[in-house]
Amino acid sequence: RQMCIRDRLEPALKMYYSALDKDTPAWAKATIVASLGYFISPVDAVPDVIPVAGYTDDFGVLFAAVATVAAHIKEEHVQKARETLSQWFS
């Protein structure tokens, strides 16, 4: 179960570190901030209290954003995300 949570948090962290990068264009940062905001927002298209289905919209938005800004997610962002997850889940 812990691995599943890690797998789902990794794309969010990659985008977070990409958004902090000065080289990431403003449009990509806006996409990242909007998707991460939706991801953590308690107000959703599908309420999170619905088992299984409740998070499908959150992850759909998150993965659509990752696909959109993927060219701006550098290897250093991937490494920082993995390091953060290792710290959180060790």
Side-chain angles (χ1 to χ4, degrees), residues 28-65:
K29 288 182 181 187
T31 301
I32 292 167
V33 169
S35 67
L36 292 177
Y38 187 85
F39 184 65
I40 64 170
S41 173
V43 179
D44 287 353
V46 180
D48 292 342
V49 295
I50 299 172
V52 182
Y55 291 103
T56 57
D57 62 320
D58 295 328
F59 293 116
V61 167
L62 191 67
F63 288 110

Side-chain angles (χ1 to χ4, degrees), residues 1-2 15 29 36 48 75 88:
R1 178 155 172 89
Q2 190 178 49
M15 287 197 304
K29 288 182 181 187
L36 292 177
D48 292 342
E75 184 58 32
W88 289 354

Side-chain angles (χ1 to χ4, degrees), residues 6 13 79-90:
R6 285 181 68 134
L13 284 169
Q79 289 304 321
K80 285 181 183 179
R82 290 181 180 156
E83 288 170 13
T84 299
L85 288 170
S86 291
Q87 291 172 359
W88 289 354
F89 292 98
S90 60

